[in-house]
Amino acid sequence: MSQIERHTYDVVVIGAGGAGLRAAIEARAQGKSVAILSKSLFGKAHTVMAEGGIAAAMGNVNNNDNWQVHFRDTMRGGKFLNNYRMAELHAKEAPQRVWELETYGALFDRTKDGKISQRNFGGHEYPRLAHVGDRTGLELIRTLQQKIVSLQQDDYITTGDYESHIKVFAEFAVTDLLLDESAGQPRVAGCFGYYRETGDFAVFQAPAVILATGGIGKSFKVTSNSWEYTGDGHSLAIRAGSTLINMEFVQFHPTGMVWPPSVKGILVTESVRGDGGVLRNSEGRRFMFDYIPDVFKKQYATTEAEADRWYTDPDNNKRPPELLPRDEVARAINTEVKAGRGTPHGGVFLDVSTRLTAEQIQTKLPSMYHQFKELAGVDITKEPMEVGPTCHYVMGGVEVEADTQAATGVLGLYAAGEVGGGLHGSNRLGGNSLSDLLVFGRRAGEAASTYVDAAGAAAQITDDAIARAQAHALAPFDGDGSENPYTIHSDLQQTMNDLVGIIRNGTELRDALDRLESFKSRVRNVTVTGGRVFNPGWHLALDLQSLLLVSECLARSALAREESRGGHTRDDFPAMDPQWRQVNLICRMTDKQVNVSKQAVPTVPNELLSLFDVTELDKYFTGAELAGVTGGAH
Amino acid sequence: MSVNAPGRAKIDAKTLRTDAWWLQPAITAAVLLSFIVYATWRAFEDKFYFVNELNPGGKVDLISPFYSPCLASHCVSGSSMLGQPIGSWWTLSPALLILVFPLGFRFTCYYYRKAYFRSFWLSPPACAVAEPHTKYTGETRFPLLVNNLHRYFFYIGLVFNALLTIDAFIAFRGVQGGFHMSVGTVVLLLNATFLWLYSLSCHSCRHAMGGRLNHFSKHPVRYRMWTWISRLNTHHPKFAWISLIGVALADYYVRCISAGTFTDILFF
Amino acid sequence: MGYTSKFRVWRGDDTDGGLVDFEVEVNEGEVVLDIVHRLQATEAPDLAVRWNCKAGKCGSCSAEVNGRPRLMCMTRMSTFSQDEVVTVTPLRAFPVIKDLVTDVSFNYQKAREIPSFAPPVGVEPGDYRMQQVDVQRSQEFRKCIECFLCQNTCHVIRDHEENKEAFAGPRYFIRLAELDMHPLDVKDRRRGAQEEHGLGMCNITKCCTDVCPEHIHITDNAIIPMKERVADVKYDPLKRILLKITSRDD
């Protein structure tokens, strides 16, 4: 065991996207030594792919905006299943988190008076998204990356070592959390993983671990997510004894590319619609007007004329239905295609060329312009795009305490960003993920530091625990040679896409669970060839275990929730049911089996409920819940 | 060390490019070499650089851009717009007195630097094609350090542009007076125009106009000029070539008229 | 619509290696990275390749395709003829780790050597005011996805390993330019660019600009303007006198 590299830190952050880096910055600010374990190179995390913007009620473009409006929009978008406290903190703190980025060197697009410009987005009542063209995620990740470097430069001046307080371990994948179970409730002692480049193992001893590993998109075939999105954090948490919440809710972004096949799923930013793009079916009909659900009838235009006026006069007209929350638009597109009104390649048309000039498109949507030009040979300044739904985001995640992001069940474990659950309820609004990363990344970093102050040094990690973790990581080299990880992955993705996708039903979900059972045994027989030095087959074999675990949580939760809400649509239970609004589904492992159980949604306090019109709340809540609520103050 | 430094992927080929990467530097080298040979010959020739009423084929006064301003005492009568301040001790070609300035402008030009570093010095000959040199220090020492003084050559170049523009306007006067236009006048005018476009599109010009500012919003006029120059700047390589070939052709045209090879064509 | 393509992929590590031939199926619309993935899934499961987003946004899958530095995810197979041999090698300016994966840590070291954004003193978060025209130059450089193709293709280090210490490379010249042009950054980066980061070694042969997948005008908009700014303080005696009399800017 002596050859295994060992490190000791106050806080270990797993994941180097927006949430992880923001958490690390905060922990460093609290005087903690921090290790950032990044599965990719530094600065390549999936955050880089976010396009539209960061939602924050700064009121720079429309001064009617404030945190209450943002809170309302978030709850509405999540169909009131959100953790209200997270939604409240998020709406209140997002502006400060965005402004802070400017002090790190971020350069957002500007308003005429020199403030941060804000753009319209689906589900947001006012222009709210701070952005840089359509590459906001890149700006965010680079800004945080450069802030880390700047802190390292400060440390270099005082200690002579860039890495004395923050060290980034690039291309390091974590396979196990190490626990101290000597005193009742398990406590984090550290984690174990391998360097992708060399295949060498390392052990990190730390009293606090922050999971910031992002999502699970790679369990689906058509996805906008990068290879890293294999549910590592979800899996680490649940295996360590924590719980996952809301796993049935998966966001299918309405607009992914559909052609050519090799790019199917790549994201087409919502900004296309925010900036004037309209959706049409093969008959040329602007079909979104046919899909405005009752709960949103008051907020959206019902005629094309009004919708068109909104782009220039948003104060006196209602917004176009293309800007409904993503779940609504994705379902509508799905229905149109199934009804035979799709495009030749199975999508619908998204056209921005009719409202914006070529020059405007190239300024506001430069990446989209290049993406279509270079990957599909389509000039979006002249012709419509073909788009269809793509798996984009998981609302579900590690069940956390709202103020601290502390994971349920394991002391010293925190989760922030997409791997955390609760904020977005059953459906996330565009722009709310980047603000989520910042608000709760910072909170996790702060809470972990406070925890470390109280908890002191981590428990010693035994050689035995390390040996077990090592055996687990090396198991794929000893398989019986019958299964190839790439084949299983592709089969798993197909299954999830076909049976646990955008529209679900009981029969298919049960079928999916049967198939997942068979994948489990196949994964046990997975065999990799070659050595440990940068061996993608081995990496995938390990990722497959996480993918399979989260897929099962997802399918079990989806089967249990017998209603349709947000990112969970059952054609055998097509209605939204106020009784189910009171229920969160919790996924945990007992005796190595995945279990799903019901848990009450925290009661929204009256002062927050009263921010809404009672007639709106009626559509979501039961009469009993609303007794005594006096809404409509706004 | 080279592209095969220790630790790097072992690939023997200096490049794996399959396209005709050598073509561009070859063309550049050929054109530049031709120009150098021609210009050297003409600079030392010390005759046929001026056209006036003494030339049988001359319709208007024409002076070759290689010889203007003609500053030596033995300059052809009438060719010295700025007088002959150099005196009689200078017995070599008067072109040699002045050519160093436009050549210096071009030698230090950010575009020509790319052109000659690639085509003559092969450093590199083309992108991702290994260069032959074992050591490389770039523009950190003399003489290449002088390239940092490009702006001074730019300022001097502006003076030459002004003089050559005046030459063109003088040409419209005609050898017998009056206002005339011939192929010769058009040639000189075009030459001056392309030289202006080349100079104004220069990176140093772009910097001086506004590039050095950090707050465009406080200098709207300079920002507009910078924007305009920036647009020209994207065509800088094009203007560099057109003006280079143009100046040689202008000189050759003047030489032909002056030497009596053919007659200038008078439009009116 | 599919056809069989001849692929040659460099396989090996820092001690030895060479080009290996494959025959592999290619379908409509595919990019080089798709083909590499197909090789992994079929013939070479341990073929090492670095990639993330497969949409040209993260800058991970840098390699050399037929000798040209490219992102594999943005190189469409339709740019090659069907009977053409497509050769894929790792980046040649950096140490190789395995197959198509190289050690790009050089770039992260250089990133640390560039002084970070120096915020204006006394301006609170939320009070930053900048005009669009003042930020747009720096915004162009912030489009950089850090694929390091410019670093890889720059002959200053590609052909001269020994220059790596003194030369930051195009990616960090645009970082310097970004900060020097930032309307609120308070640090002067001009002398440092020349004296510490090796700007003078660049002979503006523009290969960085040629290979940039984000189409950033690295040479014209960053390196040359920085060289001019350096000239202001280091090589231009007249300007220095002028700068003594007036303030630097505005």
Side-chain angles (χ1 to χ4, degrees):
Chain A
M1 216 64 64
S2 56
Q3 77 278 19
I4 289 187
E5 189 179 307
R6 299 188 68 145
H7 299 278
T8 307
Y9 283 91
D10 294 327
V11 177
V12 167
V13 180
I14 305 177
L21 298 186
R22 188 62 190 84
I25 290 168
E26 194 60 26
R28 163 71 183 76
Q30 306 284 336
K32 299 292 169 278
S33 66
V34 188
I36 301 170
L37 311 185
S38 170
K39 206 164 144 182
S40 301
L41 291 174
F42 191 26
K44 306 293 180 196
H46 192 63
T47 305
V48 84
M49 294 181 72
E51 292 166 352
I54 312 175
M58 298 181 284
N60 291 350
V61 172
N62 188 322
N63 57 21
N64 292 322
D65 203 10
N66 55 42
W67 77 263
Q68 288 94 338
V69 186
H70 192 182
F71 171 79
R72 275 205 303 265
D73 288 342
T74 302
M75 294 296 287
R76 230 176 239 148
K79 304 280 195 305
F80 288 85
L81 201 74
N82 319 52
N83 179 310
Y84 73 86
R85 176 65 180 158
M86 287 174 80
E88 179 190 2
L89 290 169
H90 169 254
K92 281 180 174 167
E93 295 178 2
Q96 201 58 39
R97 296 289 83 78
V98 173
W99 287 325
E100 209 165 62
L101 293 177
E102 290 197 302
T103 70
Y104 302 170
L107 286 174
F108 293 102
D109 288 346
R110 318 304 298 180
T111 62
K112 282 211 161 43
D113 53 355
K115 295 179 184 171
I116 297 171
S117 177
Q118 298 185 270
R119 70 157 39 119
N120 280 301
F121 235 56
H124 292 282
E125 189 167 342
Y126 298 116
R128 188 177 285 148
L129 270 65
H131 61 274
V132 189
D134 52 4
R135 56 160 191 88
T136 315
L138 173 64
E139 186 69 13
L140 178 60
I141 195 90
R142 200 65 78 232
T143 300
L144 294 173
Q145 176 187 349
Q146 287 165 349
K147 177 64 180 175
I148 300 262
V149 168
S150 139
L151 292 170
Q152 289 179 325
Q153 290 171 340
D154 294 347
D155 292 338
Y156 180 75
I157 291 168
T158 50
T159 68
D161 177 7
Y162 284 110
E163 292 171 335
S164 57
H165 288 75
I166 304 186
K167 182 164 179 175
V168 180
F169 293 80
E171 301 198 306
F172 186 91
V174 174
T175 53
D176 277 292
L177 288 178
L178 302 174
L179 300 177
D180 167 22
E181 296 180 276
S182 59
Q185 194 179 5
R187 292 192 308 150
V188 164
C191 64
F192 176 94
Y194 63 92
Y195 289 96
R196 291 164 57 79
E197 285 187 1
T198 58
D200 292 340
F201 295 117
V203 173
F204 290 80
Q205 187 171 329
V209 166
I210 300 173
L211 299 172
T213 53
I216 61 145
K218 276 294 167 193
S219 44
F220 288 84
K221 186 177 175 204
V222 179
T223 175
S224 64
N225 292 171
S226 75
W227 73 270
E228 302 176 286
Y229 266 33
T230 50
D232 298 7
H234 291 80
S235 152
L236 288 171
I238 192 175
R239 282 170 48 215
S242 188
T243 49
L244 305 183
I245 187 171
N246 293 344
M247 287 303 289
E248 66 276 31
F249 298 111
V250 176
Q251 180 165 81
F252 289 83
H253 195 289
T255 57
M257 292 176 81
V258 296
W259 186 260
S262 87
V263 301
K264 190 164 180 165
I266 292 181
L267 188 64
V268 178
T269 175
E270 189 165 328
S271 320
V272 175
R273 283 170 285 139
D275 289 341
V278 296
L279 291 165
R280 293 184 194 280
N281 61 21
S282 60
E283 296 163 1
R285 182 174 168 77
R286 238 177 116 173
F287 59 86
M288 278 313 298
F289 290 97
D290 308 334
Y291 293 90
I292 307 174
D294 286 343
V295 289
F296 287 118
K297 279 261 156 67
K298 274 177 75 176
Q299 284 102 19
Y300 287 82
T302 47
T303 65
E304 283 197 41
E306 180 176 15
D308 287 342
R309 284 196 302 272
W310 175 84
Y311 292 105
T312 47
D313 181 12
D315 287 337
N316 298 308
N317 293 286
K318 286 182 285 182
R319 52 185 38 226
E322 275 88 1
L323 292 177
L324 276 160
R326 289 175 174 171
D327 54 330
E328 310 289 353
V329 184
R331 266 194 301 274
I333 294 175
N334 195 63
T335 311
E336 285 295 306
V337 174
K338 282 210 167 146
R341 295 188 291 271
T343 66
H345 300 120
V348 296
F349 293 114
L350 171 60
D351 193 356
V352 71
S353 67
T354 48
R355 200 182 309 273
L356 297 184
T357 65
E359 199 179 317
Q360 285 171 317
I361 292 171
Q362 291 195 32
T363 315
K364 292 184 167 192
L365 305 163
S367 334
M368 288 305 106
Y369 173 74
H370 282 123
Q371 185 172 310
F372 273 90
K373 191 101 183 153
E374 287 172 28
L375 291 176
V378 169
D379 181 354
I380 67 167
T381 65
K382 297 197 180 77
E383 45 191 329
M385 300 158 245
E386 280 184 70
V387 295
T390 176
C391 175
H392 186 54
Y393 190 88
V394 61
M395 272 66 76
V398 180
E399 188 187 5
V400 291
E401 204 269 314
D403 287 68
T404 62
Q405 300 290 294
T408 313
V410 182
L411 285 171
L413 185 64
Y414 297 81
E418 190 170 350
V419 69
L423 167 63
H424 307 293
S426 68
N427 174 52
R428 174 177 71 81
L429 293 185
N432 271 2
S433 67
L434 293 187
S435 39
D436 173 10
L437 306 182
L438 296 170
V439 169
F440 293 105
R442 186 192 137 274
R443 283 191 160 266
E446 189 180 38
S449 303
T450 311
Y451 169 82
V452 171
D453 288 336
Q460 279 303 317
I461 294 165
T462 62
D463 287 353
D464 194 37
I466 296 172
R468 272 200 308 276
Q470 187 173 340
H472 167 225
L474 289 174
F477 285 104
D478 303 327
D480 65 1
S482 58
E483 291 287 353
N484 168 339
Y486 298 97
T487 313
I488 302 181
H489 186 210
S490 149
D491 293 351
L492 172 68
Q493 289 182 307
Q494 192 70 53
T495 299
M496 293 299 284
N497 231 70
D498 294 347
L499 304 177
V500 198
I502 183 164
I503 309 291
R504 304 161 176 171
N505 65 53
T507 319
E508 290 182 354
L509 288 169
R510 274 183 286 271
D511 186 9
L513 283 166
D514 288 344
R515 294 197 198 185
L516 289 172
E517 238 9 84
S518 74
F519 285 133
K520 281 186 196 167
S521 55
R522 286 177 68 187
V523 164
R524 277 192 290 273
N525 295 331
V526 116
T527 304
V528 296
T529 54
R532 271 161 59 182
V533 174
F534 215 112
N535 184 340
W538 178 38
H539 304 161
L540 180 59
L542 293 172
D543 289 343
L544 266 180
Q545 301 174 3
S546 305
L547 281 169
L548 202 54
L549 198 50
V550 293
S551 296
E552 186 177 352
C553 274
L554 215 161
R556 286 203 187 281
S557 304
L559 183 61
R561 183 172 285 274
E562 297 185 329
E563 65 154 353
S564 293
R565 179 184 297 272
H568 170 68
T569 306
R570 291 277 299 259
D571 60 10
D572 46 353
F573 297 96
M576 191 158 64
D577 179 351
Q579 299 294 340
W580 270 104
R581 196 213 63 80
Q582 303 177 49
V583 178
N584 279 142
L585 292 174
I586 306 294
C587 191
R588 60 166 55 82
M589 275 185 101
T590 35
D591 302 330
K592 303 205 164 175
Q593 294 296 314
V594 171
N595 287 298
V596 168
S597 56
K598 291 181 178 178
Q599 182 174 295
V601 171
T603 309
V604 187
N606 268 355
E607 71 260 27
L608 290 176
L609 268 191
S610 62
L611 294 171
F612 295 87
D613 196 309
V614 174
T615 56
E616 181 181 4
L617 295 178
D618 268 341
K619 296 165 187 161
Y620 299 97
F621 289 76
T622 61
E625 289 176 283
L626 293 178
V629 174
T630 50
H634 67 288
Chain B
M1 278 187 266
S2 68
V3 69
N4 284 320
R8 301 191 192 178
K10 293 228 176 340
I11 299 167
D12 293 332
K14 281 191 176 298
T15 183
L16 289 169
R17 280 181 66 165
T18 52
D19 58 334
W21 56 264
W22 45 268
L23 189 62
Q24 191 63 46
I27 293 172
T28 307
V31 176
L32 283 179
L33 262 179
S34 313
F35 180 84
I36 291 166
V37 169
Y38 175 80
T40 308
W41 167 60
R42 277 292 286 151
F44 281 94
E45 196 179 27
D46 199 6
K47 57 183 175 185
F48 305 136
Y49 55 82
F50 190 62
V51 174
N52 61 7
E53 66 274 14
L54 302 174
N55 293 90
K59 310 292 184 194
V60 295
D61 282 359
L62 298 174
I63 183 163
S64 154
F66 283 8
Y67 283 81
S68 179
C70 206
L71 301 173
S73 298
H74 65 280
C75 285
V76 175
S77 157
S79 67
S80 300
M81 178 173 45
L82 298 183
Q84 300 178 337
I86 294 299
S88 54
W89 60 272
W90 181 266
T91 53
L92 295 174
S93 163
L96 301 176
L97 287 169
I98 52 163
L99 276 185
V100 59
F101 297 105
L103 284 180
F105 182 45
R106 284 179 196 262
F107 186 83
T108 59
C109 161
Y110 287 101
Y111 170 69
Y112 280 109
R113 277 142 83 177
K114 170 192 167 185
Y116 63 73
F117 279 126
R118 281 201 190 189
S119 61
F120 284 98
W121 198 241
L122 308 180
S123 178
C127 301
V129 178
E131 61 175 63
H133 311 282
T134 49
K135 255 192 94 60
Y136 173 88
T137 53
E139 304 186 326
T140 56
R141 331 177 179 182
F142 188 80
L144 291 174
L145 195 61
V146 174
N147 279 341
N148 287 301
L149 294 178
H150 184 48
R151 56 187 59 184
Y152 285 105
F153 290 102
F154 163 69
Y155 301 141
I156 299 167
L158 291 182
V159 174
F160 277 83
N161 289 352
L163 293 174
L164 295 181
T165 309
I166 295 168
D167 285 341
F169 282 107
I170 289 172
F172 280 96
R173 211 176 46 200
V175 293
Q176 311 293 341
F179 182 78
H180 294 284
M181 190 167 148
S182 71
V183 173
T185 60
V186 174
V187 164
L188 290 198
L189 192 62
L190 280 178
N191 178 48
T193 308
F194 287 125
L195 287 173
W196 277 115
L197 285 172
Y198 170 56
S199 296
L200 291 177
S201 64
C202 150
H203 293 85
S204 287
C205 175
R206 186 178 180 224
H207 174 73
M209 284 298 163
R212 56 180 299 276
L213 299 174
N214 274 1
H215 296 89
F216 285 146
S217 55
K218 294 183 189 161
H219 301 87
V221 177
R222 289 182 71 182
Y223 174 58
R224 282 177 71 117
M225 291 202 303
W226 177 83
T227 311
W228 187 72
I229 300 286
S230 296
R231 222 171 286 151
L232 275 185
N233 180 255
T234 58
H235 303 291
H236 194 49
K238 201 187 306 166
F239 294 139
W241 285 119
I242 296 175
S243 65
L244 183 83
I245 295 167
V247 79
L249 287 178
D251 169 77
Y252 186 66
Y253 188 83
V254 173
R255 187 190 185 280
C256 288
I257 309 299
S258 181
T261 316
F262 50 77
T263 304
D264 195 11
I265 298 163
L266 194 67
F267 299 134
F268 57 83
Chain C
M1 264 172 286
Y3 67 96
T4 303
S5 166
K6 294 190 199 66
F7 246 65
R8 305 185 79 187
V9 181
W10 194 89
R11 300 209 62 186
D13 55 28
D14 59 346
T15 56
D16 204 9
L19 293 166
V20 179
D21 289 302
F22 295 96
E23 298 224 332
V24 57
E25 174 195 337
V26 174
N27 301 309
E28 188 185 353
E30 287 186 329
V31 294
V32 169
L33 186 58
D34 287 312
I35 311 307
V36 172
H37 282 161
R38 184 161 296 128
L39 287 175
Q40 279 185 332
T42 54
E43 298 178 59
D46 62 339
L47 172 61
V49 59
R50 194 182 265 137
W51 70 287
N52 270 30
C53 75
K54 202 174 168 290
K57 294 188 198 308
C58 74
S60 300
C61 62
S62 306
E64 300 191 10
V65 183
N66 281 354
R68 309 191 79 137
R70 307 284 315 241
L71 293 179
M72 285 185 273
C73 72
M74 296 302 275
T75 308
R76 296 180 80 183
M77 287 303 294
S78 58
T79 56
F80 308 106
S81 64
Q82 296 199 354
D83 52 2
E84 191 172 349
V85 179
V86 178
T87 307
V88 187
T89 71
L91 300 177
R92 292 182 69 183
F94 305 122
V96 70
I97 291 170
K98 187 182 160 212
D99 303 338
L100 300 177
V101 177
T102 51
D103 173 3
V104 293
S105 55
F106 162 75
N107 302 291
Y108 290 98
Q109 282 163 22
K110 290 294 161 187
R112 275 189 189 153
E113 293 168 9
I114 308 291
S116 296
F117 172 63
V121 180
V123 184
E124 293 300 309
D127 292 343
Y128 281 50
R129 294 291 178 272
M130 295 178 264
Q131 291 299 316
Q132 187 63 38
V133 290
D134 296 337
V135 300
Q136 66 196 14
R137 271 183 305 177
S138 297
Q139 280 185 329
E140 181 190 3
F141 310 136
R142 290 185 72 82
K143 285 191 334 199
C144 171
I145 57 173
E146 298 201 333
C147 63
F148 306 129
L149 288 177
C150 59
Q151 305 283 86
N152 170 62
T153 200
C154 180
H155 70 107
V156 177
I157 45 179
R158 184 183 175 94
D159 294 335
H160 303 281
E161 180 74 21
E162 70 279 8
N163 284 342
K164 278 187 176 169
E165 192 168 327
F167 187 71
R171 193 278 169 259
Y172 298 102
F173 295 149
I174 66 170
R175 171 74 170 144
L176 282 167
E178 169 213 324
L179 291 167
D180 206 58
M181 295 175 187
H182 191 300
L184 293 182
D185 182 80
V186 296
K187 191 172 164 56
D188 189 340
R189 292 148 198 290
R190 294 174 291 183
R191 282 180 181 280
Q194 190 79 349
E195 292 162 10
E196 283 152 44
H197 307 299
L199 185 67
M201 298 182 93
C202 166
N203 64 347
I204 45 180
T205 38
K206 280 191 116 164
C207 289
C208 51
T209 306
D210 284 357
V211 298
C212 180
E214 287 293 296
H215 310 293
I216 299 170
H217 297 93
I218 300 174
T219 318
D220 286 316
N221 286 353
I223 294 181
I224 295 175
M226 277 313 285
K227 281 189 176 245
E228 286 293 311
R229 285 173 177 228
V230 168
D232 280 351
V233 289
K234 271 184 78 86
Y235 302 112
D236 185 344
L238 287 179
K239 182 70 91 193
R240 268 154 80 184
I241 295 165
L242 208 67
L243 285 173
K244 283 238 167 72
I245 302 166
T246 62
S247 66
R248 177 194 172 191
D249 176 29
D250 316 296

